[in-house]
Amino acid sequence: MLTQEQMQEFKENLTARKLQIEKNLNGTALELNQMHNQELNDDGDFAAASAESAIDSAILEQQRKELAEIDLALDKISKGTYGICEMCEEPIGIERLKVKNFARYCMPCREITEKEHN
């Protein structure tokens, strides 16, 4: 089990990452709005803007997913279930949590879930 100090450290890390993602999402949304309001002079400008927009959209989607995972992890911290595998209900190793603060599964269960999704 995680100590209170470790739990607090993970909470601080998750909260800091959440704030960074929210800042990124707000900044990217502002950039996208500005880009949509630009006058595109030719097909080349339009193609470049479209490609950039697709990349930005993919990044935004990935960051939204990470934000949802972080919110779930913070909720688990408040409920005292953080660091417990959702599948086998065994503790998730601290080394795994250090690499992926919002991990929902221990390594063996993660491998099972990845095989099921492929």
Side-chain angles (χ1 to χ4, degrees), residues 1-2 6 10 82-86 88-110:
M1 278 319 262
L2 297 171
Q6 291 168 325
F10 283 117
Y82 178 77
I84 305 296
C85 178
E86 289 181 8
C88 69
E89 298 183 3
E90 291 294 320
I92 298 171
I94 191 157
E95 293 306 316
R96 172 143 168 75
L97 290 170
K98 285 180 180 177
V99 172
K100 188 173 182 180
N101 293 171
F102 51 85
R104 296 167 57 184
Y105 305 104
C106 63
M107 287 303 293
C109 291
R110 184 200 77 151

Side-chain angles (χ1 to χ4, degrees), residues 1-8 94:
M1 278 319 262
L2 297 171
T3 66
Q4 282 301 112
E5 291 166 348
Q6 291 168 325
M7 197 75 80
Q8 185 60 35
I94 191 157

Side-chain angles (χ1 to χ4, degrees), residues 14 21-22 34 37-38 40 50-51 53-54 63 66-68 75 89-91 96 98-99 105:
L14 287 160
I21 290 173
E22 288 172 341
Q34 290 172 347
N37 293 331
Q38 288 176 358
L40 302 175
S50 293
S53 179
Q63 293 215 322
E66 185 178 343
L67 191 57
D75 186 53
E89 298 183 3
E90 291 294 320
R96 172 143 168 75
K98 285 180 180 177
V99 172
Y105 305 104

Side-chain angles (χ1 to χ4, degrees), residues 10-104:
F10 283 117
K11 183 177 181 178
E12 289 169 8
N13 291 342
L14 287 160
T15 302
R17 180 66 182 148
K18 178 180 178 170
L19 292 173
Q20 182 61 50
I21 290 173
E22 288 172 341
K23 183 179 171 186
N24 293 348
L25 290 174
N26 290 334
T28 304
L30 184 63
E31 287 174 22
L32 287 173
N33 285 336
Q34 290 172 347
M35 188 181 81
H36 288 298
N37 293 331
Q38 288 176 358
E39 288 187 31
L40 302 175
N41 296 324
D42 60 31
D43 288 343
D45 286 349
F46 183 77
S50 293
E52 192 173 313
S53 179
I55 292 168
D56 285 344
S57 293
I59 291 169
L60 281 173
E61 183 59 29
Q62 184 59 41
Q63 293 215 322
R64 281 190 195 102
K65 285 180 182 177
E66 185 178 343
L67 191 57
E69 293 285 341
I70 289 170
D71 284 337
L72 182 64
L74 289 169
D75 186 53
K76 287 180 177 185
I77 287 173
S78 70
K79 292 177 179 174
T81 59
Y82 178 77
I84 305 296
C85 178
E86 289 181 8
M87 189 178 252
C88 69
E89 298 183 3
E90 291 294 320
I92 298 171
I94 191 157
E95 293 306 316
R96 172 143 168 75
L97 290 170
K98 285 180 180 177
V99 172
K100 188 173 182 180
N101 293 171
F102 51 85
R104 296 167 57 184

